[in-house]
Amino acid sequence: MTTKTKPTPVEHHENSMFDAVLARLDIAAKICGLSEDVTNILRNPQRQVKVSLPVMMDNGKVQIFEGFRTIHSTILGPSKGGIRYAMDVCDDEVKALSAWMTFKCAVANIPYGGAKGGIKCDPRKLSIGESERLTRAYTAAMADVFGVDKDIPAPDMGTSGREMAWIVDEYNKIFRGSFPGVVTGKPVGIGGSLGRDAATGRGVMISTLAALKKMNLDPKKVTASVQGFGNVGSHAARLLASRGIKICAIGDHTATFWNEKGIDIQAALRHTKENGGVLRGFNGGTEIKANELLTANVDILVPAALQNVITEEIAANVKAKLIVEGANGPTTPEADSILQEKGIIVIPDILANGGGVTVSYFEWVQNKYGHYWNEEEVKTKHDASMNDAFEQVWYNGQHYKTTMRIGAYITALKKVEFGIKAKGSY
Ligand code: NAD
């Protein structure tokens, strides 16, 4: 089932996320015979915007923040991608994440291109007022970039429905109207979609179940560890547990826990709710080192926090048979080769975490339509779309005798290539 052809050597500069994208893009392009012209178009983002944002802090001093937005491609539709608030946000990271959005939307069969944005800041150190002023300043600076049919942001690490509500409000003020579809991931009640909050975690669950089926494994007899207990990780852990999968390890930036008998995820959720969103102090397991979660003796590993955590060294020690990438870019290209040699199946980020953008698309459709679906409708459409995407990627992995990651890139590249050739204005 897992293909064991000799992995193609990769060349990429350590720490450059965009090089990690190009490494995979080049391998996939070669395997599926993508034209050099199309490859070159996709190696270069369409537009990169960088702004400086002066913000009045609570201490009365003005602080300058750096804001970014990269539009990687608009070939298949308006560009779509989240906004990240973190200290490591930079050109390289935003560029990489924007390219993954192009491929993710194509894999998910939704009519969008790819973009990503971010602000270099530590969201945990900002007061609510500072965060609001920063978000509004960013929106004003990006007013000519964003647009319902142009570029549509959403939440990512460090942002949530709260920031999306400020963005739509600021945008509405600037353009003097009501444009709910300019951003997705909004709170339900101001144009958000039911089911959006849990959507990425739900997609992780659906793709995990689809992979277990291919592997002939019973969900009720397998164990998992989940890194990250934010939006993606906490919903993924909850939903995997609800399908009978025993979650033996969970962790966030404050603490990591192991429980052979299975962690009570509902108790962990209650704990984070009562403790400012963090796992520190949870007593439902033994505390272990953060990296031990990645190499724990479980069947499924779900990285749902940071990029570049599955390095060569970690990959050599991974015991899981299946890795489901809830996070974007958790595995380095060098680690890919090791996992492939070990026969570990990796459901790549551009497939596994595509549930978020799929329900974002449903939110945008509902905003345009002015008519809102019930949660069952959202879930049914989401599950069907995720299963279709999984099957297409699985098929391409098998057909081209490669990994699911390269199978996913091939799935995306062929669709984007079709778009480029059909439009053909070069
Ligand atoms: P979030 O901010 O809600 O949560 C991030 C989690 O990671 C938190 O639990 C945090 O404590 C944890 N974390 C941070 N540093 C850590 C460390 N050093 N060790 C262990 N855990 C650490 O973010 P999120 O929205 O859940 O995003 C997580 C990942 O999923 C990111 O890669 C993001 O790009 C990706 N993603 C998110 C969505 C979405 O809809 N939110 C969609 C697709 C992909």
Side-chain angles (χ1 to χ4, degrees), residues 286-346:
T286 316
E287 198 158 345
I288 56 170
K289 288 194 193 118
N291 273 358
E292 287 174 338
L293 179 149
L294 300 170
T295 56
N297 193 10
V298 288
D299 301 301
I300 308 165
L301 168 62
V302 182
L306 305 171
Q307 56 257 22
N308 294 336
V309 289
I310 305 180
T311 57
E312 277 174 287
E313 202 187 331
I314 295 287
N317 292 301
V318 166
K319 293 180 196 67
K321 308 174 182 73
L322 173 67
I323 297 178
V324 188
E325 295 185 337
N328 283 309
T331 309
T332 67
E334 293 80 5
D336 272 351
S337 310
I338 296 172
L339 298 173
Q340 187 179 3
E341 273 167 10
K342 288 174 74 173
I344 297 171
I345 297 180
V346 180

Side-chain angles (χ1 to χ4, degrees), residues 268-286:
L269 290 167
R270 280 194 299 278
H271 177 89
T272 50
K273 201 169 173 197
E274 288 158 12
N275 290 274
V278 297
L279 283 168
R280 190 193 293 119
F282 176 58
N283 62 9
T286 316

Side-chain angles (χ1 to χ4, degrees), residues 17 82 84-85 97 100-101 104 116 123-124 154-160 196-201 226-235 251-256 272 277-279 290-291 293 303-307 309 325-330 349 352-357 360:
M17 280 174 75
R84 178 175 283 199
Y85 286 4
L97 290 162
W100 278 325
M101 284 308 299
K104 194 180 301 183
K116 200 81 182 190
R124 295 186 200 103
D156 191 68
M157 260 172 107
T159 60
S160 64
R196 171 62 184 90
D197 216 30
T200 310
V226 181
Q227 183 191 51
F229 211 67
N231 176 283
V232 183
S234 68
H235 285 296
D252 69 3
H253 70 286
T254 64
T256 307
T272 50
V278 297
L279 283 168
N291 273 358
L293 179 149
L306 305 171
Q307 56 257 22
V309 289
E325 295 185 337
N328 283 309
D349 43 11
N353 70 36
V357 73
S360 269

